[in-house]
Amino acid sequence: MVNVDVVISSLIAQAPLVAAAVVVLYYTLDRKIEDVKNKLSKEIDSVRGELGGRIDSLKEHIHG
């Protein structure tokens, strides 16, 4: 039969290692997510600027 006390004590013994792994993964992923957000923000700003220039050009062309 499985000794529940042994299983529980084994899980408790591994808790600090699991917590450390979760913290490392969180900070690693958080940095990567921030990098992606910054890149997307720059790309969106670039597209907005390009579209704004094209719209201004079209308005100028239409209104002479």
Side-chain angles (χ1 to χ4, degrees):
M1 224 191 249
V2 175
N3 190 344
V4 176
D5 292 336
V6 172
V7 172
I8 291 174
S9 66
S10 296
L11 290 174
I12 290 172
Q14 294 176 10
L17 180 61
V18 171
V22 168
V23 168
V24 168
L25 285 173
Y26 173 79
Y27 284 111
T28 301
L29 290 174
D30 189 48
R31 269 191 268 146
K32 287 185 179 188
I33 289 170
E34 281 299 316
D35 289 345
V36 170
K37 283 172 51 177
N38 290 335
K39 287 178 184 176
L40 283 174
S41 180
K42 288 178 184 175
E43 288 293 324
I44 289 170
D45 289 344
S46 174
V47 169
R48 281 183 181 154
E50 187 176 326
L51 286 175
R54 288 184 182 190
I55 289 171
D56 291 343
S57 176
L58 284 172
K59 285 179 182 177
E60 202 173 289
H61 180 71
I62 292 171
H63 296 296

